[in-house]
Amino acid sequence: MFSLRLPIPLEKTLITSLPKTSTTYSAYSGMTRFQVCHRYLSNSITKRGTSVVAFQDEADGEIFVDEDFLEVDPLPVELQPELMPKHVAVIMDGNGRWAKMKGLPTSAGHVAGTQSFKWIVKLCYSWGIKVETEFLLNLFERSILSQVEECKRKGIQISVIGDTSKLPKSLKSMIANAEETTKENPKFQLILAVSYSGKYDVVQACKSVAKKVQDGLLHLEEINENIIEKELETNCTEFPYPDLLIRTSGELRVSNFLLWQLAYTEFFFNKKLWPDFGKDEFVEALSSFQNRQRRYGGRH
């Protein structure tokens, strides 16, 4: 599982100031900010040794996944397959700062962050790591739910956690369709946290337990950690607790994300801004994890 916090507003505003890159400025004439972001990224992301994993149709703005996106990526020799985490959580920071450093609009940083996310998901898919990710609604609707058929073909199960009661009816319907369409897919699980917070998760679990006590289905003295854990939003997966949490941009906090589930999680902090976080950094985090002795609260 792989947990991400990813703010990505998608803009359709016409360019008023062009990005300060070595690319010829005239190439961006008449394009939207979002199209410029993708044109710029198509040139800049090739340093990772892979093709761009998404592009925008300039007619209708829809995002498509590159055909090579889910090709199997071999496990690096420095990683041991038997020590791979089953659930990796990632808090992605630094999209706005990345864009500012390059003289680009903030939206360019968010689009770049999308590419980094898809690149890491590709690696998790290849290496058997469950994925959980948190999205803003616009990214969720445009970049993930539009790929339901591709997920079905690749054997990816989509699950959604969070307070979906606040979502528009149309989005609720899309979520229900995505979950129903992919629920039998066994190869890889992608859990999307939408309108989610750790405090909300604990509160809703406690309410659920209290309701069972009120209805006579549960006695007060029967309540323990296991009872509460069964009511958490992450009960939709076989591996609800992250083995490893990665946070980028040098920030050293969890920011109300999976508060209960992170009790015995190993943390890895990286100073790179999220759009610059790629395969090498991900392998470094996994290697660090594999060299730790996990105690789960014990002394030995």
Side-chain angles (χ1 to χ4, degrees):
M1 187 187 295
F2 176 61
S3 317
L4 308 178
R5 185 174 302 252
L6 182 60
I8 302 188
L10 306 181
E11 298 185 17
K12 298 290 285 185
T13 307
L14 287 175
I15 288 294
T16 55
S17 60
L18 296 171
K20 299 174 182 177
T21 70
S22 58
T23 307
T24 304
Y25 284 179
S26 62
Y28 300 107
S29 177
M31 298 175 67
T32 67
R33 284 180 183 270
F34 191 71
Q35 292 162 342
V36 168
C37 293
H38 275 283
R39 180 68 60 82
Y40 173 78
L41 289 169
S42 296
N43 296 324
S44 67
I45 205 169
T46 53
K47 65 182 180 181
R48 296 182 182 173
T50 184
S51 58
V52 177
V53 297
F55 63 91
Q56 182 192 32
D57 186 299
E58 296 185 8
D60 60 20
E62 186 167 359
I63 302 173
F64 296 90
V65 175
D66 189 289
E67 286 296 326
D68 296 329
F69 168 51
L70 292 179
E71 293 297 324
V72 174
D73 200 284
L75 186 70
V77 294
E78 61 265 40
L79 296 179
Q80 302 178 56
E82 67 274 12
L83 297 179
M84 292 294 285
K86 295 180 175 64
H87 176 174
V88 173
V90 179
I91 298 176
M92 303 179 293
D93 282 349
N95 293 338
R97 281 171 280 172
W98 183 90
K100 184 176 181 180
M101 289 171 59
K102 296 181 178 295
L104 295 169
T106 301
S107 56
H110 296 312
V111 173
T114 307
Q115 308 307 318
S116 293
F117 157 70
K118 291 182 178 179
W119 174 241
I120 297 302
V121 169
K122 176 183 184 292
L123 297 179
C124 289
Y125 176 87
S126 297
W127 302 343
I129 301 173
K130 298 293 183 180
V131 178
E132 181 177 352
T133 177
E134 182 171 12
F135 286 93
L136 287 190
L137 299 186
N138 48 14
L139 173 68
F140 179 72
E141 186 169 357
R142 295 171 63 94
S143 187
I144 299 298
L145 293 183
S146 62
Q147 301 302 323
V148 169
E149 289 303 317
E150 179 69 8
C151 288
K152 184 178 179 180
R153 184 171 68 88
K154 292 292 186 179
I156 298 176
Q157 179 186 359
I158 296 177
S159 302
V160 177
I161 64 174
D163 186 7
T164 57
S165 65
K166 300 177 181 179
L167 302 181
K169 290 183 179 181
S170 59
L171 189 52
K172 289 181 184 179
S173 177
M174 294 178 69
I175 290 172
N177 177 66
E179 291 183 314
E180 179 63 27
T181 301
T182 64
K183 67 179 182 181
E184 302 298 333
N185 293 352
K187 189 171 183 180
F188 183 78
Q189 186 175 19
L190 178 62
I191 299 180
L192 308 175
V194 181
S195 190
Y196 174 90
S197 78
K199 290 182 178 180
Y200 153 80
D201 200 359
V202 173
V203 169
Q204 69 82 26
C206 291
K207 286 182 176 180
S208 180
V209 171
K211 183 65 165 58
K212 289 183 178 180
V213 172
Q214 184 181 50
D215 294 343
L217 302 176
L218 186 69
H219 296 291
L220 185 63
E221 60 272 12
E222 295 176 326
I223 299 175
N224 55 31
E225 289 185 10
N226 290 333
I227 293 295
I228 294 177
E229 287 170 353
K230 290 178 181 178
E231 302 300 330
L232 293 172
E233 295 272 314
T234 46
N235 63 10
C236 62
T237 179
E238 182 183 358
F239 306 106
Y241 312 112
D243 298 304
L244 173 65
L245 171 71
I246 300 171
R247 183 157 191 165
T248 60
S249 82
E251 301 294 347
L252 307 176
R253 56 182 179 272
V254 298
S255 298
N256 195 22
F257 191 52
L258 298 174
L259 296 180
W260 182 290
Q261 295 88 338
L262 294 176
Y264 298 115
T265 298
E266 298 292 327
F267 286 14
F268 181 86
F269 298 103
N270 188 281
K271 292 185 177 180
K272 284 201 172 183
L273 303 178
W274 175 246
D276 291 327
F277 189 91
K279 181 177 180 179
D280 290 344
E281 291 74 26
F282 190 46
V283 170
E284 179 188 2
L286 295 175
S287 180
S288 174
F289 170 81
Q290 292 191 349
N291 283 288
R292 300 182 190 185
Q293 182 180 359
R294 304 190 71 189
R295 297 182 177 87
Y296 300 95
R299 296 175 62 89
H300 303 289

